[in-house]
Structure formats: structure tokens, C-alpha cells
Amino acid sequence: MASKNDYYETLGVARGASEDDVRKAYRRLARKYHPDLNPGDKSAEDRFKNVQEAYEILSDAKKRQMYDQYGFYSDQAMPGAEGGPFQNGPNMGFGGFDFSEFARRGGGGAAGQQDNGFGFRDLFDQVFSGGRAGPAPAWRR
């Protein structure tokens, strides 16, 4: 889930803050906004949840790295996560695409190469047909 908050700002620490500084800031704010110490205070409860979320991300090295790099963290967006956008998300994967067919038929006329009848348009035909590209139509051979 993309964050609307700046986790560093939420905890009141700098981007380069050490793990120890992040932990100290979290503990201070968690005590301040904990629902048991602020019964019935909806804004304190919301603030506590934001502090918890920020600490969860910034205290984990891998999550923090992703947050620093992309500006958000999501379990589904972790490189290598099954179903995540960096692997097989919508319009992001190459599943079903046969690169060998493109290589075997030629790259479509790079400088000094002969065009073997399979070019850029054929590449898109194969990608957008879900990898089920058949022979090139007669008008393009």
C-alpha cells in the first residue's frame, strides 16, 4: 500500500537516521499517543497507528531500502514477491512472450543487418496478443 505520509516526518527523524534513533523516536511517540494513555481520543489513536506503520517500515532494513528508493512500501511490490509488480504485475511481465522467435527471425532491420520480415510491429503484435503470435500476415512478409 502506498503511503500518504512521510515516515521520517511521522517519527521526527532525518532520512539518514540510525536504527537506534528510529527506535528511540518510535518509543517516545508510541508512549505519547498510545490509546491506553489517551482513552477516547480518536486523533491520538490515528497518530499512534501512523507511528506504528512508520516504525514497521523504517525498522526493517529491506522495507526501509524500498521506501527510500521508491517512496512507498508494499509487500506486493517487493522484487521477487510472488504476484508483485516487479515480477508478474499487470502489464509488467513477459510471461508468454517468446523472445527466441524475435531473435530467430531477426531484429527488424538494425543498421547493416538484413530485415528478415519480423520487425517492431511484429514484436508488439506478439506482446499484445499474449504471446500467441502466429506467422506474419502476407502483406508484411
Side-chain angles (χ1 to χ4, degrees):
M1 174 173 166
S3 173
K4 296 176 185 172
N5 301 322
D6 180 342
Y7 292 145
Y8 293 101
E9 186 177 308
T10 297
L11 293 180
V13 296
R15 283 205 172 269
S18 69
E19 290 180 37
D20 192 48
D21 289 340
V22 169
R23 184 175 32 80
K24 287 177 184 177
Y26 163 72
R27 287 183 176 178
R28 179 179 44 80
L29 293 170
R31 248 183 257 124
K32 180 177 180 178
Y33 295 109
H34 196 281
D36 289 346
L37 299 176
N38 298 286
D41 186 347
K42 182 69 175 158
S43 66
E45 182 180 336
D46 290 341
R47 182 85 164 112
F48 180 75
K49 288 178 184 178
N50 289 339
V51 167
Q52 289 281 102
E53 181 181 358
Y55 181 69
E56 179 184 338
I57 302 305
L58 298 182
S59 65
D60 182 290
K62 288 183 181 180
K63 292 178 182 181
R64 184 174 181 172
Q65 178 184 6
M66 181 180 183
Y67 177 75
D68 288 345
Q69 187 171 358
Y70 299 107
F72 72 95
Y73 173 79
S74 170
D75 290 330
Q76 297 300 314
M78 284 298 291
E82 189 153 334
F86 295 110
Q87 184 176 6
N88 292 323
N91 302 322
M92 294 293 285
F94 292 102
F97 183 78
D98 185 5
F99 283 105
S100 64
E101 183 69 16
F102 181 69
R104 186 171 48 250
R105 290 164 105 185
Q113 285 187 323
Q114 179 182 355
D115 186 355
N116 295 336
F118 191 78
F120 197 64
R121 176 176 244 148
D122 298 304
L123 175 66
F124 277 103
D125 286 347
Q126 189 172 8
V127 169
F128 292 114
S129 68
R132 296 179 301 276
W139 61 271
R140 280 197 285 181
R141 289 187 193 159

